[in-house]
Amino acid sequence: MTYGQRIFSIVPDSAATPELKAAKVEHLGPPPGPGLKDQRNRVLRDLRLSVIDQCNFRCTYCMPKEVFGRDYAFLPKASLLTFSEINTLARVFVSLGVEKLRITGGEPLLRKSLEDLIAMLSLLKTPSGNPVEIAMTTNGVLLKEKARLLRDAGLHRVTVSLDALSDDVFRRMNDMDYPVGDVLAGIDAAIQAGLSVKINMVVQRGVNDHEILPMAEAFRDRGLTLRFIEYMDVGSSNAWQLDQVVSAQEIVNTISTRHPLTAIGRDIPSEVSEQWEYVDGKGKIGMISSVTKPFCGNCSRARISAEGVLYTCLFAESGTDLRSLLRQSDAPSDTDLAHAIANVWTQRTDRYSELRHVLPRENKKVEMSYIGG
Ligand code: SAM
């Protein structure tokens, strides 16, 4: 049996597998609170929640059809955390200092009645009484019908993934023949609903690098921030090669030939993207350069898969099973859960992107569609 089958198709109660660790509830010291630091002094502030491992796209760089085909075993419904379980975990993470929740997937809008989850999460308050920021990453196809509902439920921001404006290139990349017009309509609907919108574009050499400039110009004209993501070696399905990566610097150079840019850095150190401003004052773009300029040193993010496995790195090979804990007959208290989560975060040492080029990889990494983007 391969790692992929084990982690994707079988409920993770088998904590005996080295890839899935059991959560440890050890009440060592007082209940943990905000400001939890890991072994590299990184503070927990962000939580990404995957709500489903399925997607309506089969992006060739993320969920290639050869791997995620018709007979691929996605998680059965009973394996997915319920909204109440997700809310419980989110509440505990917020008590530990998380200020921002990002809903992701798979394609999060495929999860039925997602607005009900957003409504629950929108009631959470930080220990100092502030509301928690709620964001979502989506391919945008279903936003046209969902944006208003989501906004009314309490969603604040949406990041729409869009890799090309050319319909032809876009259809080829999503590999399910979705027209780019569906995503553009979703973006319009999100703006009209009052959501704050950003666009993310993954750039792959020879596939969509000729779309860099048209994308930059289109979103600059619309006043929307476009963020370019270096193609990453996430998971083990996409046959990633370093020469397919277009570096952030190359992207900046391409755009600068037409529209000069200056670097303005990050708003906050833990932000994933480094920002660049158009010299003529017409807005900003972002660069997410995990390959050429890793930002592990300021990573504040924890991630929970749709079945409740906690990961501290997008490139992780193993995670901690929180769902078994949540589903124990003797239900854990928030304090129990806080200890279990603190136990993972405070032991964290990972910094995959900084070591990418020097460490050999023996085990398969978790897939992006499973862990969430
Ligand atoms: N379905 C949603 C979407 O399309 O935004 C959320 C999940 S998707 C895995 C999240 C983001 O990860 C998308 O922007 C996608 O382009 C990006 N992504 C997936 N695989 C990637 C890779 N190998 N390198 C860089 N970004 C990747």
Side-chain angles (χ1 to χ4, degrees), residues 16 36 73 133-134 148 161 203 243 252 270 276 306 321 324 363:
L36 273 188
E133 185 181 303
I134 307 177
R148 174 68 58 186
S161 307
V203 184
D243 62 8
V252 167
S270 60
W276 292 72
D321 174 18
S324 295
N363 302 313

Side-chain angles (χ1 to χ4, degrees), residues 177-203:
D177 217 26
Y178 278 98
V180 73
D182 285 5
V183 181
L184 296 175
I187 293 171
D188 290 343
I191 294 168
Q192 272 158 26
L195 288 162
S196 156
V197 178
K198 281 185 188 155
I199 314 295
N200 273 0
M201 171 183 182
V202 177
V203 184

Side-chain angles (χ1 to χ4, degrees), residues 64-287:
K65 278 181 177 164
E66 310 82 73
V67 178
F68 297 87
R70 279 184 198 286
D71 53 357
Y72 184 81
F74 287 101
L75 294 170
K77 195 165 170 232
S79 290
L80 301 183
L81 292 184
T82 64
F83 287 170
S84 164
E85 288 169 334
I86 295 173
N87 189 49
T88 297
L89 289 179
R91 183 177 67 233
V92 174
F93 270 91
V94 169
S95 78
L96 293 175
V98 161
E99 295 159 353
K100 192 164 144 197
L101 302 172
R102 178 169 292 278
I103 309 297
T104 177
E107 173 45 45
L109 295 180
L110 291 182
R111 181 83 188 246
K112 222 170 137 217
S113 310
L114 189 67
E115 58 280 8
D116 295 347
L117 173 65
I118 304 287
M120 291 164 90
L121 299 176
S122 73
L123 300 177
L124 296 174
K125 292 272 189 303
T126 66
S128 45
N130 295 319
V132 176
E133 185 181 303
I134 307 177
M136 179 184 297
T137 306
T138 171
N139 62 34
V141 165
L142 295 169
L143 268 182
K144 195 172 167 196
E145 58 190 79
K146 288 273 191 171
R148 174 68 58 186
L149 268 178
L150 294 164
R151 173 71 186 152
D152 290 348
L155 186 69
H156 300 120
R157 337 168 60 87
V158 71
T159 301
V160 180
S161 307
L162 177 64
D163 299 330
L165 280 178
S166 146
D167 195 48
D168 204 35
V169 176
F170 184 71
R171 284 179 199 251
R172 235 180 298 137
M173 288 183 81
N174 72 59
D175 211 14
M176 292 296 281
D177 217 26
Y178 278 98
V180 73
D182 285 5
V183 181
L184 296 175
I187 293 171
D188 290 343
I191 294 168
Q192 272 158 26
L195 288 162
S196 156
V197 178
K198 281 185 188 155
I199 314 295
N200 273 0
M201 171 183 182
V202 177
V203 184
Q204 222 184 329
R205 192 179 306 284
V207 177
N208 66 338
D209 44 344
H210 57 292
E211 287 282 307
I212 293 170
L213 203 48
M215 285 279 290
E217 291 186 330
F219 290 106
R220 169 185 140 91
D221 288 346
R222 293 195 62 177
L224 292 179
T225 298
L226 170 63
R227 303 187 314 170
F228 294 90
I229 308 179
E230 288 180 348
Y231 176 43
M232 298 181 285
D233 53 339
V234 205
S236 308
S237 300
N238 62 6
W240 182 87
Q241 303 272 348
L242 185 58
D243 62 8
Q244 297 169 320
V245 178
V246 180
S247 71
Q249 191 57 55
E250 250 180 291
I251 297 171
V252 167
N253 293 347
T254 302
I255 300 171
S256 287
T257 54
R258 195 75 66 80
H259 308 285
L261 289 158
T262 36
I264 53 171
R266 292 176 157 85
D267 284 340
I268 49 168
S270 60
E271 198 170 63
V272 290
S273 75
E274 210 174 354
Q275 299 189 55
W276 292 72
E277 200 169 43
Y278 287 110
V279 171
D280 63 7
K282 278 203 165 177
K284 294 186 278 193
I285 56 170
M287 292 291 155

